[in-house]
Amino acid sequence: MMLTKPLMIFLLLVNVQLRETRGYVRLVEPSSRSRIWMKNFPEETKSDEADLNCGGPNAQYDKNYGKCGECGDDYSLARPRPNENGGTYGKGMISRAYIAASVIGVVIDILGYHQGHFDFDVCPLSTDEQLETNVCFYKHHLTLADSSNHVLNFTSTQWRTSIYVRLQLPQNLTCKHCVFRMHFRSKDSDLDDNELVMNNLFGLSPTWRNCADIAILKAISTDRGNLLRRLQLDQYESEQSNSSN
């Protein structure tokens, strides 16, 4: 059956309304993989960065027993999942280069009255093909710049808002390619998987994860532009070397 134009418009409006109703939590700075992909290849992308909520609460809790892909995809998908390294949007495009042990700024857009907590982690990759893992992320929690805590509790006071978070990078961690991850877990799902099963709470509260490709470099210069250009030159020389072999 062919859809008429009025029906197509109606379905589109319903889809927009549903998205506005459920809200989202998304990483703006540094740019997430799907976000930077949309900026560079808008005609090719089918991704919606606002939908990186583990496939949705039903998929996360009913189908995957509380599990979520490392970067917010449906856990049941084969690795690399679309937003993981080597996946559709995980092409190693570095969105930000930082100086080791520095304080960095992170920007997050939030739609909806959410309550829960944020965690921020990094996972250094040794090769272009290496997959990020939760074990790797958990080894490199980032602490808040004004405290030693790595958890940021949050409650929305407006339907649409942006927050700015200052994070402390580790003292002895450098990498030409690290994966930065934002993880937000809403308050209602702040239980482990066994508790969720016992209390029949699956499907009630969404979780969001966004990943971004970053570099953390030694402070050989205070000019971050020079640092980024050096990184890009290293990548170019490596690609040229590989293509000639």
Side-chain angles (χ1 to χ4, degrees):
M1 180 182 68
M2 294 186 62
L3 296 178
T4 63
K5 187 174 182 179
L7 180 57
M8 292 176 65
I9 294 175
F10 171 76
L11 292 175
L12 177 61
L13 291 174
V14 169
N15 181 59
V16 171
Q17 182 62 40
L18 287 173
R19 181 169 299 164
E20 291 290 304
T21 300
R22 72 172 183 261
Y24 57 69
V25 179
R26 63 186 180 189
L27 180 65
V28 175
E29 174 63 34
S31 292
S32 67
R33 283 169 171 163
S34 53
R35 186 177 184 85
I36 201 171
W37 183 269
M38 284 189 286
K39 288 180 179 178
N40 287 277
F41 309 103
E43 72 284 356
E44 297 181 21
T45 184
K46 301 295 183 183
S47 173
D48 187 341
E49 57 183 331
D51 284 339
L52 292 178
N53 56 349
C54 314
N58 290 337
Q60 181 183 1
Y61 296 116
D62 295 339
K63 181 172 66 174
N64 298 321
Y65 299 96
K67 295 180 179 180
C68 180
E70 273 74 357
C71 291
D73 299 295
D74 185 334
Y75 180 82
S76 66
L77 298 176
R79 301 200 74 183
R81 303 179 185 98
N83 287 276
E84 296 174 353
N85 191 44
T88 304
Y89 309 109
K91 300 304 183 184
M93 292 184 284
I94 304 298
S95 61
R96 278 287 180 265
Y98 300 109
I99 298 173
S102 64
V103 173
I104 67 172
V106 172
V107 179
I108 302 163
D109 277 352
I110 300 161
L111 181 71
Y113 293 108
H114 298 294
Q115 183 177 11
H117 69 261
F118 286 97
D119 291 279
F120 304 94
D121 317 284
V122 293
C123 175
L125 302 182
S126 301
T127 67
D128 293 339
E129 296 78 23
Q130 183 180 350
L131 287 172
E132 56 276 273
T133 65
N134 286 324
V135 172
C136 180
F137 282 121
Y138 296 155
K139 288 181 179 178
H140 304 285
H141 286 308
L142 300 185
T143 60
L144 304 177
D146 55 355
S147 74
S148 59
N149 196 347
H150 70 84
V151 174
L152 173 66
N153 294 312
F154 174 80
T155 300
S156 299
T157 57
Q158 297 176 325
W159 178 247
R160 187 188 298 269
T161 188
S162 294
I163 63 172
Y164 178 80
V165 184
R166 298 172 70 248
L167 299 172
Q168 176 67 58
L169 291 179
Q171 290 289 331
N172 300 313
L173 177 63
T174 60
C175 53
K176 287 188 176 181
H177 187 185
C178 274
V179 183
F180 174 91
R181 183 171 76 175
M182 174 212 78
H183 171 101
F184 178 78
R185 192 170 192 177
S186 57
K187 183 178 180 181
D188 289 341
S189 63
D190 195 11
L191 301 168
D192 64 32
D193 294 345
N194 291 330
E195 290 173 317
L196 284 166
V197 172
M198 292 174 61
N199 291 282
N200 194 28
L201 293 178
F202 280 163
L204 290 183
S205 302
T207 300
W208 279 272
R209 284 177 173 175
N210 279 194
C211 287
D213 295 295
I214 66 169
I216 303 176
L217 307 176
K218 292 182 179 179
I220 61 170
S221 169
T222 57
D223 184 346
R224 295 194 181 198
N226 287 339
L227 287 174
L228 184 55
R229 283 191 289 274
R230 191 195 74 176
L231 172 68
Q232 292 171 333
L233 178 60
D234 287 348
Q235 290 178 323
Y236 174 78
E237 291 175 344
S238 176
E239 291 170 357
Q240 293 300 307
S241 175
N242 292 335
S243 63
S244 62
N245 292 335

